[in-house]
Amino acid sequence: MSEVTMDAKITLEQLNVHFGTNHAVKDVTMTMATNSVSAIIGPSGCGKSTVLRSINRMHDLTPSARVSGAILLDGENIYCKECDPVTMRRRVGMVFQKPNPFPAMSIYDNVVAGYKLNGRARRSEMDGIVEQSLQRVSLWDEVKDRLHVNAMQLSGGQQQRLCIARTIAVCPEVILMDEPCSALDPISTLKVEELIDELKEKYTIVIVTHNMQQAARVSDTTAFFYLGELIEMGDTKKIFTNPEKKQTEDYITGRFG
Amino acid sequence: MIFLPPRWNIKRGLNGDFVFKGMTVLFAFSILGILLLMTVAMYRQSLPSLAKTGWSFITAKEWDPVEGNFGALPYIHGSLLSSLLSLALATPLSIATALFITEVTNRRLGSMIAALVELLAAIPSVIYGLWGILVMAPWLQRTVEPFLNDHFGSLPFFSGAPYGVSMLAAVLILMIMIVPIITSITKEVLLAVPDSQREAAIALGATRWEMIRMAVLPYGRSGILGAVILGLGRAIGETMAVTMVIGNTPKISWSLLDPGYTMPSVIANEFAEASSDLHAAALMEIGLILLVITLVINIMARLLLWSVTRTAGGKA
Amino acid sequence: MMTAILRRKMTNGLMMLAMLAATVTVLVPLGLIFFYILKMGFSSINLDLFTQIPKPPGEVGGGMANGIIGSGLLIGVASLIGLPLGIFGAVYLSEYGTSRISTMIRFSADVLSGVPSIITGMVVYGLVVVPMKGFSALAGSLALALIMIPIVLRTTEEQLKMVPMTLREASLALGVPLWRTTLKVTLKSALKGIVTGVLLAVARVAGETAPLLFTALGNMFWSHKLNEPIAALPLQIFNFAISPYDDWHRLAWGGALVLVTLMFSLSLLARWFGRAR
């Protein structure tokens, strides 16, 4: 464990999230290591997505949400007063449950949508970024001849990979994935899982999934949440073969839900 | 008995059903009938004028019922100028207000502003006209128009004496009247933009404005276009308020300070006292042109709006 | 990098400010119009307004009683014609129609509601006033009814669509014929929503002026006959507002206050009905 904490990329300290009167996340403290894949699992409504979304302050959009505690990104609290969520989010990208490309844009424009925000970029520079990002999500060969067609013409799986390409085009350090495969067919799911494995060389990845096999396949560490609380976190192999807590074991073996 | 949806209509052998259904069919189809009837009635009653003047009706500048000269260009000019200018002013205001309601303020303040905007939309046209002619026009005459004339009088748009009742007054009153319409429909369109689009932009590190520009506006663009076109339709067909403030002078002028005239206004002013059958028919023909324009505009706007709000489950 | 962020944030701030400014700009005329209606209206209103008919031009005094009554009559007759058409037309759309025909009718209704109301007046002039050889209250009512129909049709249909299918099935399963089910179950359970729509439609036509110009025409005197020209409140406001007489301007403001009060009571009532569901 000490090894993990040493190169901690993200640390949650006593994180609490309220929606109105609903206490959705309770006193969560956990750490995600640099260049690792951390999976968050748990039954529906256990607060796993809420935890994930607090790591890039997506709750800022929800008026009723209240976040307390601290989330350290490279040792700095992203919830501090002077801290700017806009700059922070460029370091912490996010991929959502349902593919959400911008429907009014071409494939090309979707990839550079985030990149273009920071001022005028040269065409050649953007061409390079589009190719690189699409290569990385292995979409390049499928779409290189039709970069300027509307993004909605892609299949669901391709759209999701496009969204990942859009996320990595801004060179984040962390990628948050909120059940990225739940809307995809098995083949697309497999492709995205392979992709996650490749991406972890460069990025720190946190993935929420309700699919335990997926967590077991892609992650290095796994955290189990239940009713807004972190029940157990540890090495994925250990969690799935020899969990410490009874609740974890019951969930893993499918004895409750 | 097994329930079957009504359109299978298995024989229940009841006359009540037959009669009732027949009645609803008749009533529902009367909508189509009314639309058709309107077009045909307007066309038939403008026939004398159509036959006499032909296409020159819309290009001739002379309108003299006594001499029997009927040229509609001054009215077409006035209608297009007043509605397009008011639309140009109202569009950015409306979109910005709708964005403020849906994307910037919190839900409570937003729905309060939305309710006020709806209130503005419910005020009858004649009351806008009353306020326009007794409050706004004198104010324009005293302060705004002299100012424009002093400082920008060299431009053709602001030349001439300040009358108060003028094209400027018509443009402003129209703007005030169509802003609530465009705003409330745009608001519905924006509410139909899924949050996943906003999240996508925010997660890329967009500011709120960048989110609006990148995700919200492009997603809603055809619906917003529909709202704007609908506003244009309203502006072109608006009668009472414009008639009361525009000055009703059939002269083609590009100056906003000059009085003008619009198609609905000339109908409102002259139709009940048309001096001859040809005069009445000429007014009918203006009405026919107006009807065709507004039909085209409304069909376009509704098609655009339906394509957005129906798929998103909203209504406009 | 830092400057880019700063520039973006400034753009963001400016845009937020611009949107706020636009919203204020939109609401200012509303405030002004209400201020004047209340200020001028209350100082003009007196008992005569509700009991007297207008005095001849230039004379001081008089009221708009005939206009208020006339508007009531016009709206009443318009409702008698327009409401059944709108409501039962909506029943067809939601209960019987095939989707293509319903869509077509729905679309026509939307387009119809965008036709300038002055055109409606001209059409009714051609179809009623000319054959009857004279302006009449009936023609005015018909013009208002034509404006009501698409509004009532669309709002009623929305309400009927919200009635759960199971309710209809329950009634049909008891052996109640479809038409009675529609009347007693479907329409009845959507009643509050339908009333809301009807009130809004009435509020809308209560202020209509243009379609009355060459149908009801207006009348300086009392009239309650359907085949004669009749006074209407919006028409009187129009005629008084464009007149050169101060005392008629006063009456116009008073009438405006009455009209606006009426319309807002109607829409408040409509809201209340909508809430009470």
Side-chain angles (χ1 to χ4, degrees):
Chain A
M1 279 304 273
S2 60
E3 197 186 279
V4 176
T5 37
M6 259 173 62
D7 55 347
K9 184 74 187 173
I10 306 161
T11 309
L12 279 56
E13 283 176 1
Q14 297 195 306
L15 182 78
N16 283 280
V17 184
H18 295 258
F19 293 106
T21 54
N22 173 23
H23 197 174
V25 172
K26 297 166 191 164
D27 252 346
V28 170
T29 299
M30 65 191 279
T31 302
M32 288 100 172
T34 308
N35 293 2
S36 74
V37 179
S38 312
I40 301 179
I41 61 170
S44 310
C46 69
K48 53 190 194 296
S49 280
T50 311
V51 169
L52 189 78
R53 292 162 65 88
S54 51
I55 301 177
N56 69 345
R57 294 184 60 168
M58 284 312 266
H59 297 308
D60 289 13
L61 291 182
T62 319
S64 66
R66 219 153 23 86
V67 181
S68 62
I71 295 180
L72 309 182
L73 179 64
D74 286 338
E76 279 174 57
N77 186 5
I78 62 169
Y79 279 95
C80 70
K81 278 219 176 61
E82 319 75 75
C83 191
D84 170 33
V86 172
T87 1
M88 180 273 294
R89 288 193 193 108
R90 295 188 80 81
R91 298 171 60 197
V92 185
M94 185 157 185
V95 177
F96 297 84
Q97 192 167 358
K98 266 176 69 185
N100 55 358
F102 298 120
M105 293 184 193
S106 66
I107 296 172
Y108 187 101
D109 289 333
N110 258 287
V111 177
V112 292
Y115 185 80
K116 275 202 294 200
L117 287 176
N118 259 337
R120 286 160 289 276
R122 258 175 296 137
R123 190 79 197 175
S124 57
E125 201 180 326
M126 291 203 298
D127 287 346
I129 282 171
V130 169
E131 182 171 351
Q132 246 176 45
S133 311
L134 290 174
Q135 288 276 16
R136 176 145 275 150
V137 298
S138 17
L139 197 57
W140 175 251
D141 292 328
E142 291 164 55
V143 302
K144 65 179 176 210
D145 304 321
R146 46 179 178 142
L147 287 174
H148 294 281
V149 306
N150 190 288
M152 298 316 278
Q153 294 189 7
L154 299 177
S155 71
Q158 289 174 322
Q159 286 184 19
Q160 190 62 305
R161 279 182 286 151
L162 175 64
C163 291
I164 299 176
R166 181 176 67 185
T167 305
I168 59 181
V170 294
C171 302
E173 298 154 30
V174 177
I175 300 177
L176 308 175
M177 297 186 169
D178 189 357
E179 303 195 20
C181 302
S182 66
L184 304 186
D185 60 273
I187 294 172
S188 304
T189 302
L190 187 70
K191 281 194 172 166
V192 172
E193 285 181 10
E194 285 171 0
L195 180 60
I196 292 171
D197 212 47
E198 288 163 29
L199 289 175
K200 81 173 180 191
E201 284 173 24
K202 275 192 78 177
Y203 308 94
T204 304
I205 295 172
V206 186
I207 176 170
V208 160
T209 175
H210 58 224
N211 178 337
M212 279 179 282
Q213 287 76 30
Q214 184 169 62
R217 280 194 299 265
V218 301
S219 70
D220 303 313
T221 52
T222 298
F224 171 63
F225 275 76
Y226 184 59
L227 295 177
E229 285 177 76
L230 174 64
I231 304 298
E232 184 173 357
M233 178 171 193
D235 192 74
T236 298
K237 224 173 258 156
K238 183 166 174 296
I239 294 276
F240 279 96
T241 53
N242 187 20
E244 277 170 24
K245 300 273 169 60
K246 174 129 191 343
Q247 279 163 306
T248 317
E249 193 183 337
D250 286 351
Y251 181 68
I252 304 259
T253 51
R255 246 176 277 158
F256 82 84
Chain B
M1 181 169 123
I2 311 166
F3 169 74
L4 288 173
R7 62 183 68 104
W8 266 261
N9 224 349
I10 48 167
K11 261 217 176 98
R12 286 196 194 82
L14 286 168
N15 280 332
D17 271 338
F18 182 77
V19 171
F20 186 76
K21 185 181 175 184
M23 180 183 74
T24 65
V25 169
L26 197 71
F27 286 1
F29 277 83
S30 71
I31 293 281
L32 292 176
I34 292 167
L35 212 51
L36 209 68
L37 190 73
M38 277 191 166
T39 322
V40 173
M42 294 300 291
Y43 175 74
R44 287 198 46 188
Q45 292 178 89
S46 18
L47 273 177
S49 169
L50 279 165
K52 175 115 192 294
T53 46
W55 285 107
S56 70
F57 187 72
I58 53 174
T59 53
K61 296 175 188 162
E62 197 75 31
W63 181 271
D64 189 345
V66 183
E67 295 288 318
N69 291 329
F70 296 106
L73 192 61
Y75 311 115
I76 298 172
H77 166 88
S79 274
L80 291 181
L81 188 65
S82 61
S83 46
L84 288 176
L85 276 181
S86 64
L87 193 72
L89 294 174
T91 301
L93 275 179
S94 309
I95 296 177
T97 305
L99 283 170
F100 187 78
I101 292 171
T102 61
E103 314 294 325
V104 182
T105 82
N106 58 41
R107 190 165 296 168
R108 257 185 73 193
L109 187 61
S111 60
M112 245 171 67
I113 297 171
L116 287 175
V117 169
E118 302 274 327
L119 210 64
L120 208 51
I123 298 177
S125 151
V126 70
I127 289 182
Y128 280 107
L130 172 72
W131 181 79
I133 192 173
L134 296 183
V135 180
M136 189 184 71
W139 174 68
L140 289 177
Q141 186 174 21
R142 275 195 318 273
T143 55
V144 179
E145 291 183 347
F147 172 85
L148 289 172
N149 191 249
D150 287 350
H151 294 81
F152 308 100
S154 51
L155 296 171
F157 309 114
F158 300 113
S159 60
Y163 288 105
V165 287
S166 57
M167 182 58 80
L168 180 66
V171 167
L172 289 180
I173 209 89
L174 277 178
M175 180 198 83
I176 296 174
M177 293 180 74
I178 62 175
V179 155
I181 295 157
I182 305 178
T183 304
S184 56
I185 301 175
T186 303
K187 187 200 80 188
E188 296 294 331
V189 170
L190 295 180
L191 288 178
V193 176
D195 273 340
S196 65
Q197 288 290 311
R198 297 186 176 87
E199 288 178 345
I202 288 292
L204 285 175
T207 61
R208 197 171 283 250
W209 165 246
E210 285 161 348
M211 170 194 88
I212 290 170
R213 216 193 48 199
M214 178 196 264
V216 178
L217 288 179
Y219 192 93
R221 62 187 172 179
S222 57
I224 297 172
L225 186 63
V228 171
I229 296 177
L230 213 60
L232 177 65
R234 201 49 95 73
I236 285 191
E238 176 45 48
T239 309
M240 303 318 295
V242 174
T243 306
M244 291 161 88
V245 301
I246 201 169
N248 299 328
T249 309
K251 197 182 89 180
I252 297 176
S253 162
W254 292 98
S255 172
L256 295 181
L257 304 192
D258 281 345
Y261 221 149
T262 67
M263 293 193 272
S265 298
V266 70
I267 298 172
N269 281 325
E270 297 187 1
F271 190 69
E273 286 136 20
S275 55
S276 64
D277 287 349
L278 189 61
H279 188 191
L283 291 166
M284 277 288 182
E285 191 179 345
I286 290 182
L288 180 68
I289 296 170
L290 191 61
L291 177 65
V292 171
I293 293 176
T294 49
L295 282 182
V296 170
I297 284 177
N298 274 283
I299 289 171
M300 261 163 44
R302 291 298 175 183
L303 286 177
L304 283 166
L305 281 170
W306 276 31
S307 70
V308 187
T309 44
R310 272 173 101 210
T311 47
K315 62 169 187 152
Chain C
M1 183 69 188
M2 205 48 224
T3 50
I5 268 288
L6 214 63
R7 186 177 46 77
R8 288 171 54 201
K9 300 215 117 172
M10 270 168 63
T11 313
N12 184 54
L14 280 176
M15 282 303 173
M16 294 298 129
L17 225 63
M19 283 182 245
L20 176 67
T23 308
V24 173
T25 312
V26 166
L27 294 181
V28 161
L30 177 75
L32 282 174
I33 290 170
F34 271 97
F35 171 75
Y36 276 98
I37 290 177
L38 292 177
K39 183 184 141 201
M40 305 299 284
F42 273 114
S43 64
S44 319
I45 225 162
N46 54 26
L47 196 62
D48 281 357
L49 190 91
F50 300 97
T51 56
Q52 305 283 309
I53 62 171
K55 289 262 170 74
E59 280 182 37
V60 173
M64 305 170 98
N66 56 345
I68 296 170
I69 301 291
S71 274
L73 188 77
L74 285 167
I75 295 168
V77 177
S79 304
L80 281 182
I81 306 167
L83 295 187
L85 264 150
I87 291 173
F88 288 108
V91 167
Y92 174 78
L93 294 189
S94 83
E95 311 293 310
Y96 297 103
T98 61
S99 77
R100 185 179 295 175
I101 291 175
S102 296
T103 306
M104 205 165 78
I105 292 173
R106 219 171 276 137
F107 191 81
S108 309
D110 279 357
V111 170
L112 189 62
S113 62
V115 169
S117 57
I118 190 152
I119 302 278
T120 313
M122 293 183 100
V123 170
V124 172
Y125 173 88
L127 296 177
V128 180
V129 176
V130 173
M132 279 178 63
K133 298 200 171 55
F135 302 102
S136 66
L138 186 67
S141 297
L142 196 63
L144 294 185
L146 288 181
I147 294 166
M148 281 175 101
I149 291 168
I151 307 174
V152 173
L153 181 99
R154 293 292 271 133
T155 51
T156 305
E157 194 209 349
E158 293 291 333
Q159 297 302 323
L160 290 178
K161 269 196 277 187
M162 278 158 54
V163 176
M165 204 59 193
T166 48
L167 222 58
R168 299 181 176 98
E169 287 169 5
S171 167
L172 288 170
L174 290 174
V176 180
L178 184 58
W179 68 278
R180 283 188 68 92
T181 301
T182 306
L183 279 179
K184 299 277 173 180
V185 178
T186 317
L187 278 171
K188 208 171 171 188
S189 42
L191 191 64
K192 278 189 175 145
I194 296 175
V195 171
T196 304
V198 167
L199 288 172
L200 289 176
V202 168
R204 160 82 197 277
V205 298
E208 282 290 348
T209 317
L212 300 179
L213 286 170
F214 6 92
T215 53
L217 190 70
N219 195 330
M220 288 290 278
F221 307 101
W222 288 107
S223 167
H224 58 270
K225 296 204 180 101
L226 283 183
N227 59 357
E228 280 178 8
I230 194 169
L233 189 57
L235 275 178
Q236 286 183 331
I237 296 173
F238 170 61
N239 286 322
F240 291 174
I242 60 171
S243 77
Y245 312 111
D246 282 344
D247 201 57
W248 273 10
H249 291 170
R250 180 186 67 79
L251 279 178
W253 283 113
L257 180 61
V258 173
L259 187 57
V260 166
T261 311
L262 173 80
M263 293 190 53
F264 288 149
S265 330
L266 281 171
S267 48
L268 275 182
L269 202 64
R271 255 169 201 252
W272 179 76
F273 260 105
R275 287 268 165 78
R277 236 176 312 157

